[in-house]
Amino acid sequence: MKKVIQVSIILTLVIFTACQKSIPEDQKLMNEIDQLISQNAFDQALEKCNIILNKFPESKYVMKANLEIGKFYHSKAISGMDENKQLQEAVNHYLKVYNNYPDSSISEQALFHAGFILANELQMYDSAKVIYNRFIEAYPESQLAQPVKYELQNLGITPDQILEMNRKN
């Protein structure tokens, strides 16, 4: 009976180890990233995302890694980094998603976020205008097209000024 249990344990360990080795490294990294995000360990998740980008540039996880990096920077979750620099990095990574995967539904959101950050957080209105116009050109039927057009009409105008203008009309 003891031998049966020992053999069962050894077989279980061998099977478990074999299964672990069959998972590609980039997928393991993405699983780790998801776990780190759920633990709010954004600095560590960022490191893992950068490993995917640098070590596995052809991986199917590159788009998600760029998107996650954009989210980390957009939420200013990376320690020891200037807020404006984080926002600029968020824009860069959102644009990488759009430029490399324009047909993905995620690209639509990424392009919107890039324009929104430029307009509303960095006050880079000329750059935001370019991104927003690109959005309307690329995604004219999007649910976000109307809000983007509204943003374009109100670039540089504060929310209080918009409310005041609406009250007068």
Side-chain angles (χ1 to χ4, degrees):
M1 183 68 161
K2 259 184 169 177
K3 283 203 181 247
V4 172
I5 292 173
Q6 288 174 339
V7 170
S8 294
I9 291 172
I10 291 171
L11 281 175
T12 302
L13 288 173
V14 168
I15 291 170
F16 180 75
T17 304
C19 288
Q20 287 287 47
K21 289 180 182 175
S22 67
I23 298 174
E25 189 178 348
D26 58 342
Q27 184 178 348
K28 285 181 191 175
L29 283 166
M30 201 73 244
N31 293 342
E32 291 173 28
I33 291 164
D34 290 337
Q35 184 175 12
L36 290 166
I37 291 170
S38 72
Q39 298 168 354
N40 294 327
F42 302 116
D43 289 323
Q44 293 169 309
L46 173 64
E47 290 175 21
K48 303 275 185 187
C49 284
N50 281 321
I51 292 171
I52 288 177
L53 298 181
N54 295 322
K55 192 172 178 181
F56 304 100
E58 301 301 318
S59 169
K60 66 181 181 179
Y61 300 107
V62 167
M63 178 178 69
K64 185 174 181 192
N66 272 307
L67 183 67
E68 294 301 338
I69 292 172
K71 290 177 185 178
F72 301 151
Y73 286 129
H74 190 189
S75 62
K76 302 171 200 116
I78 304 304
S79 59
M81 190 174 189
D82 174 69
E83 283 189 15
N84 278 348
K85 179 72 173 151
Q86 288 195 59
L87 292 171
Q88 291 168 347
E89 284 296 318
V91 169
N92 291 340
H93 284 278
Y94 286 142
L95 290 177
K96 283 180 184 180
V97 171
Y98 168 74
N99 289 328
N100 293 324
Y101 309 95
D103 296 328
S104 166
S105 62
I106 293 172
S107 295
E108 181 180 326
Q109 296 169 2
L111 190 60
F112 175 81
H113 285 298
F116 186 87
I117 293 168
L118 289 166
N120 297 293
E121 297 183 60
L122 293 172
Q123 287 76 44
M124 298 174 69
Y125 304 117
D126 291 339
S127 297
K129 185 176 183 177
V130 170
I131 297 299
Y132 280 151
N133 282 323
R134 187 180 307 164
F135 183 96
I136 291 169
E137 190 176 302
Y139 309 108
E141 302 300 319
S142 168
Q143 291 180 341
L144 294 171
Q146 215 39 53
V148 166
K149 290 175 185 176
Y150 185 79
E151 283 277 321
L152 273 169
Q153 292 170 352
N154 295 293
L155 278 175
I157 302 172
T158 67
D160 290 336
Q161 291 170 324
I162 293 170
L163 288 172
E164 186 62 33
M165 288 177 358
N166 288 337
R167 281 189 213 131
K168 289 180 182 179
N169 291 335

